[in-house]
Amino acid sequence: MKIKLLKDYEELSSLVANIVETQIKEQPLSKLVLPTGSTPLGLYDELVKRELDWSLVIAFNLDEYIMNIDHPYSYHSYMRKNLFDRINIYPDNCHFPFRPTLSFEDKMNVIKGIDLCILGIGSNGHIAFNEPGSAFDSRTRVVDLTEQTIKDNSKYFDSIDDVPKQAITMGLGTIMESKKIILMANGKHKLNILKVAMNGEVTEDVPASILQKHNDVEVFYCD
Ligand code: GLP
């Protein structure tokens, strides 16, 4: 698979913002899947600047920790702070995986599924919180986080002991049903896993490698 190399983080953020902008303008009632992490922060800033009309958009987040969703480090709080409170999306149209997970999936699929899914990638090749070993046909579910992910994500918490050990995540099968997928990655530490995932063996040991089987994926990287 082709990895498109971009000159810097601004270009990465702006190029993916162009794709989201086109999607929302061409189809105001779009269903989007959105990521968290440090990678999409520039994208969200760029989208806010563009003052798009989000009034008909329905957003689904990829994942959430098993924790109090009002905690400042929850993904609910992250999304409110970095995007939802800065645009005219309706709070009732912002969804996060919840239990029972099949009801969440039903909600995603009411009226023909997801139009555009934006992903980041973890240093161990995870997408959303689908850790190595996740089944390619997995659905939304509760998962245990690996030591590596807990360590990587501890930078967002006061201490590593505060990082939740479990999360609720869309499954790989769920993600693969999106009509279009964009994978964003930045930083030299992501390049190797990105190459392995996009051009190596398709294996459940590298969850992102399943994207090689999707017919509309674009992968953008800057160092
Ligand atoms: C978390 C999220 C992933 C995200 C990954 C990478 O684990 N669950 O969805 O892709 O972090 O985050 P970052 O962009 O901070 O490297």
Side-chain angles (χ1 to χ4, degrees), residues 22-184:
T22 304
Q23 174 66 44
I24 294 178
K25 285 190 169 156
E26 284 181 359
Q27 193 186 327
L29 205 167
S30 282
K31 290 162 79 180
L32 308 183
V33 166
L34 300 173
T36 52
S38 53
T39 310
L41 288 171
L43 163 67
Y44 294 152
D45 283 343
E46 186 60 34
L47 286 172
V48 170
K49 270 193 234 149
R50 296 187 187 195
E51 299 185 349
L52 307 175
D53 181 7
W54 292 76
S55 60
L56 295 178
V57 172
I58 306 181
F60 293 88
N61 263 82
L62 283 165
D63 46 15
E64 176 59 285
Y65 293 111
I66 301 288
M67 70 188 302
N68 177 355
I69 58 171
D70 293 322
H71 189 286
Y73 303 144
S74 74
Y75 285 167
H76 280 73
S77 299
Y78 168 104
M79 288 305 297
R80 277 199 297 268
K81 177 171 168 230
N82 295 304
L83 187 65
F84 296 153
D85 285 355
R86 305 164 73 199
I87 57 176
N88 69 333
I89 196 165
Y90 284 102
D92 283 354
N93 285 341
C94 301
H95 305 286
F96 290 77
F98 58 80
R99 287 178 278 191
T101 52
L102 285 181
S103 309
F104 171 73
E105 295 227 347
D106 283 348
K107 189 170 240 174
M108 282 175 69
N109 286 312
V110 172
I111 335 173
K112 73 180 177 60
I114 298 301
D115 300 296
L116 174 63
C117 170
I118 317 275
L119 298 172
I121 184 169
S123 67
N124 61 3
H126 74 227
I127 47 178
F129 271 132
N130 292 283
E131 299 282 33
S134 297
F136 281 156
D137 62 357
S138 53
R139 312 301 308 182
T140 302
R141 68 206 185 285
V142 173
V143 292
D144 294 329
L145 302 181
T146 60
E147 298 230 337
Q148 181 64 52
T149 296
I150 291 173
K151 188 164 160 268
D152 289 349
N153 290 4
S154 65
K155 59 178 183 276
Y156 304 112
F157 289 81
D158 297 333
S159 97
I160 193 161
D161 297 330
D162 293 341
V163 185
K165 308 283 179 289
Q166 286 192 307
I168 180 162
T169 182
M170 281 185 199
L172 295 172
T174 321
I175 290 168
M176 286 292 283
E177 285 168 10
S178 311
K179 285 173 211 147
K180 181 176 183 64
I181 299 179
I182 304 293
L183 179 69
M184 310 173 73

